[in-house]
Amino acid sequence: SRHEFTKSLADVFGYDSELINPISTEEFRQEAPRPEDSTLDSSRLYDAIAYEFRAPTDAFREMRTVR
């Protein structure tokens, strides 16, 4: 979920992830309509290029070491 993604990002960069609270799309009140499920299924891409991307937490850790 977006909530879990953001909490993971905060944890890796040393921020207090307990300050991050989940909210619904309605509560966020974005002007443009958003789908309820915005997940991306990359399985066809993985099959086509024979490569699987890192987990977000692993990528965040690498980003942290670069800065």
Side-chain angles (χ1 to χ4, degrees), residues 44-55:
R44 288 178 53 198
L45 173 63
Y46 296 152
D47 292 343
I49 64 173
Y51 178 81
E52 195 159 326
F53 296 99
R54 300 186 291 277

Side-chain angles (χ1 to χ4, degrees), residues 2 25 29-36:
R2 291 179 187 143
T25 300
R29 297 198 296 215
Q30 294 176 304
E31 289 186 28
R34 301 286 191 259
E36 289 208 18

Side-chain angles (χ1 to χ4, degrees), residues 19-44:
L19 297 173
I20 300 168
N21 300 306
I23 62 171
S24 68
T25 300
E26 294 80 29
E27 290 173 295
F28 196 54
R29 297 198 296 215
Q30 294 176 304
E31 289 186 28
R34 301 286 191 259
E36 289 208 18
D37 182 3
S38 61
T39 57
L40 176 64
D41 178 2
S42 301
S43 58
R44 288 178 53 198

